[in-house]
Amino acid sequence: MVLLKTILILILVYYGLKLLWRLFAPRLFGYAVKKAEERFGQEFGNFQDFSESPKREGETTISKRPFRKANPSKKVGEYIDFEEID
């Protein structure tokens, strides 16, 4: 009789947890998604504020890449002249 009672309690606990999971899982996942979205917004929301300075209408901006000096003393490799043999 004790074995039957234990099996019945285990089955009821299993189905009870399954029911609770179906009720609360969507809310938990929704909460987790909302929190992740807030964190993402905090991390990347202000990205454009720092990347560009405010510009007036009609203002022209030219950005140049830094000039690189060519280093003629730097050897890249050895030149080999090949000849075609018939």
Side-chain angles (χ1 to χ4, degrees), residues 15-65:
Y15 281 111
L17 290 175
K18 192 174 177 181
L19 177 67
L20 288 174
W21 179 253
R22 283 190 179 177
L23 291 174
F24 293 115
R27 292 184 186 144
L28 288 173
F29 286 127
Y31 178 75
V33 167
K34 188 183 347 176
K35 283 297 195 181
E37 183 179 340
E38 288 175 5
R39 280 191 229 122
F40 183 79
Q42 288 174 352
E43 289 288 329
F44 299 106
N46 299 329
F47 181 71
Q48 291 180 347
D49 295 342
F50 298 113
S51 64
E52 294 183 12
S53 60
K55 297 179 183 175
R56 295 180 293 179
E57 186 176 342
E59 183 179 338
T60 304
T61 305
I62 300 173
S63 58
K64 297 181 180 179
R65 293 190 294 175

Side-chain angles (χ1 to χ4, degrees), residues 12 14 21 26-27 32 44-45 50 56 66 75 78-79 83:
L12 288 174
Y14 172 75
W21 179 253
R27 292 184 186 144
F44 299 106
F50 298 113
R56 295 180 293 179
K75 292 187 177 183
E78 184 179 337
Y79 178 74
E83 293 182 14

